[in-house]
Amino acid sequence: MGKKIRCLFGTDGVRDVANKGVMIPEMVLRLARAYALFLAERGIPKPTIAIGTDTRLSCQMLQSALEAGFMSAGADVLLLGVIPTAGVSFAVRKYELAGGAVISASHNPAEYNGVKFFDKRGVKLSDDDEAAIEEYLGDSMLDEWRPTGASIGLSIEAKDSIGDYVQYMLAKVDSFSLSEYKMVIDCANGAIIKSAKDVFEALKPKKAVFLGDKPDGLNINEGVGVMFIETCQEAVLKEGADFGVAFDGDGDRVLFVDEKGRLINGDLILWVLARWLKKKGALGSGVVATVMSNMALEEHLNKEGIPLFRCPVGDRYVYETMQKTNSLLGGEQSGHIIIKDYVQTGDGLCTSLMFLRACDELGLSISELNDEFSPYPQLLQNVRVSSKDKILSHPAFLELLRECERKIEARGRVFVRPSGTEPMVRILLEAKGLDLDSLAKELVSQIHKIDKELDKVI
């Protein structure tokens, strides 16, 4: 039996401009009912489902729809309020719920919003589970299934879900202190503001400057956070800080900035955490990273005797590969990191704390990590085409790819994949000692020629 095809769900849930397309209240209500039916048909007829949101203006509208959909399908609802995505995952496990839902569009601008679901383990749903939920949307049973009387769901507000999440995080760092450090923390005007402030202030830094901590419903990710890392970089240099920490809108990603204003991305974070966890005997079989992670990560891990397992882009695929390979650490260059002994999904707050603790216990200087890592130069080129599938299977393109690989040889790699949401081919060039700009221009030019030839074919 072939793999089920998803149409609504993308790499990270269902996402669109709020009140347009698939992100209208009517669709969100049906999506909630479909998820509740999905749980009921798997032996949970009266589930309790947590809902958390980020700070977008549209969250209230979509939460009302999600809440009504769950309750009309017989599910009880626990409202967590504004909380990081990982906080919802934590709440599902902490309160032993049947599942969870997050209303957020993560790093996207404020006009977007989305919905993503967790199972009872606090893990994002698999592709097959999401495809099954989509099937319910078109099933007549969804409209016919109408619990009544005492079977209709209830909704209650959680007492202190943020407080429980914060206490869990603080318990994981024991007596660790930040008293020697001056730091900048960019919260992206998003869901992580309160939990980040509570955690970092409890660790008593010498000085903490918070950015992106004044949400107004329309400014999430606007000029702040991981998508605008230069804001954090400038603040670190201006404040003379030892480092900076930047999150995204829903708090599941984190990037660091060293005292010189240089970016410390997910690859470097994985490199540090892998050595720390190995020393503690808590690494499992190795590290999982996506196809986009730098070859330098693989080389450095090999020197430590640590295997690296590659997977497709997306923290759900990172988690699935971790499960298959018995790895306890995985992540993406973009800053989604999963430390499986602590969390079941990308958690920016957990990652930032464990990274700082790892540097401290390994005696590593944050300001020297970039110099020690020495990544391969990378260039990512997005090429718009008329048909991704036809381009990627065309003999002329395959020969072009082979020629590019011959030029790079052992000095690096070329990786090509179709965009999951747009008519684009994404090309990653990675090599030392080559003019990647010239190579990229040549590739793009040839791909455009092939694309034009395809357009002529009727």
Side-chain angles (χ1 to χ4, degrees), residues 147-215:
T148 59
S151 296
I152 293 173
L154 299 172
S155 176
I156 61 171
E157 293 186 6
K159 291 181 179 178
D160 191 14
S161 55
I162 286 282
D164 288 340
Y165 175 58
V166 165
Q167 288 306 310
Y168 176 77
M169 285 295 140
L170 289 173
K172 294 302 177 185
V173 290
D174 300 322
S175 57
F176 180 63
S177 171
L178 294 172
S179 59
E180 298 179 6
Y181 298 104
K182 291 186 290 184
M183 53 197 296
V184 171
I185 303 155
D186 185 342
C187 298
N189 287 320
I192 204 167
I193 295 169
K194 179 167 174 48
S195 52
K197 284 190 172 183
D198 287 352
V199 165
F200 283 113
E201 287 174 354
L203 297 177
K204 297 180 170 52
K206 183 185 294 185
K207 182 179 181 181
V209 176
F210 286 89
L211 310 174
D213 62 337
K214 296 177 177 59

Side-chain angles (χ1 to χ4, degrees), residues 91-350:
V92 170
R93 301 192 312 276
K94 167 77 174 177
Y95 309 138
E96 299 181 345
L97 308 180
V102 179
I103 302 172
S104 173
S106 190
H107 61 277
N108 290 112
E111 62 267 27
Y112 286 83
N113 218 328
V115 177
K116 47 193 170 187
F117 296 113
F118 289 106
D119 65 17
K120 65 181 180 181
R121 302 168 297 163
V123 176
K124 289 180 181 177
L125 299 187
S126 68
D127 287 354
D128 285 345
D129 285 344
E130 289 180 341
I133 290 171
E134 287 192 20
E135 287 183 1
Y136 285 122
L137 290 172
D139 194 320
S140 60
M141 185 191 301
L142 188 67
D143 293 312
E144 295 166 2
W145 184 45
R146 297 283 176 179
T148 59
S151 296
I152 293 173
L154 299 172
S155 176
I156 61 171
E157 293 186 6
K159 291 181 179 178
D160 191 14
S161 55
I162 286 282
D164 288 340
Y165 175 58
V166 165
Q167 288 306 310
Y168 176 77
M169 285 295 140
L170 289 173
K172 294 302 177 185
V173 290
D174 300 322
S175 57
F176 180 63
S177 171
L178 294 172
S179 59
E180 298 179 6
Y181 298 104
K182 291 186 290 184
M183 53 197 296
V184 171
I185 303 155
D186 185 342
C187 298
N189 287 320
I192 204 167
I193 295 169
K194 179 167 174 48
S195 52
K197 284 190 172 183
D198 287 352
V199 165
F200 283 113
E201 287 174 354
L203 297 177
K204 297 180 170 52
K206 183 185 294 185
K207 182 179 181 181
V209 176
F210 286 89
L211 310 174
D213 62 337
K214 296 177 177 59
D216 62 11
L218 299 173
N219 63 357
I220 189 170
N221 301 312
E222 185 177 28
V224 287
V226 298
M227 300 304 291
F228 296 90
I229 194 67
E230 59 272 14
T231 300
C232 188
Q233 290 170 317
E234 291 168 3
V236 166
L237 295 174
K238 178 184 176 183
E239 298 290 338
D242 296 298
F243 60 83
V245 188
F247 300 101
D248 68 340
D250 70 331
D252 65 353
R253 286 170 57 186
V254 66
L255 297 174
F256 276 77
V257 173
D258 68 21
E259 65 179 7
K260 299 173 186 175
R262 296 178 298 180
L263 173 66
I264 296 175
N265 67 17
D267 287 345
L268 273 80
I269 295 171
L270 284 172
W271 177 47
V272 170
L273 289 174
R275 287 183 283 170
W276 178 61
L277 290 172
K278 183 183 180 184
K279 187 176 180 180
K280 290 163 59 71
L283 183 60
S285 65
V287 176
V288 173
T290 75
V291 291
M292 303 302 287
S293 278
N294 202 283
M295 285 180 65
L297 175 62
E298 197 162 350
E299 289 182 356
H300 282 294
L301 292 178
N302 282 339
K303 290 176 184 176
E304 303 285 339
I306 299 172
L308 179 71
F309 306 100
R310 298 270 187 176
C311 70
V313 173
D315 66 332
R316 287 186 306 126
Y317 304 120
V318 170
Y319 186 87
E320 288 173 5
T321 307
M322 289 171 68
Q323 291 282 85
K324 292 174 184 175
T325 59
N326 294 315
S327 302
L328 299 180
L329 175 66
E332 299 185 279
Q333 193 179 71
S334 62
H336 280 123
I337 308 291
I338 302 171
I339 310 172
K340 199 166 177 290
D341 274 351
Y342 302 146
V343 295
Q344 303 302 307
T345 190
D347 187 326
L349 189 54
C350 178

Side-chain angles (χ1 to χ4, degrees), residues 23-45:
M23 206 39 55
I24 57 175
E26 299 92 322
M27 175 58 79
V28 171
L29 187 146
R30 286 186 64 81
L31 197 60
R33 286 178 52 77
Y35 178 55
L37 180 56
F38 168 84
L39 293 176
E41 294 234 310
R42 282 155 182 78
I44 314 175

Side-chain angles (χ1 to χ4, degrees), residues 68-89:
F70 284 148
M71 290 190 293
S72 74
D76 291 335
V77 176
L78 181 65
L79 298 177
L80 304 178
V82 175
I83 189 171
T85 285
V88 178
S89 172

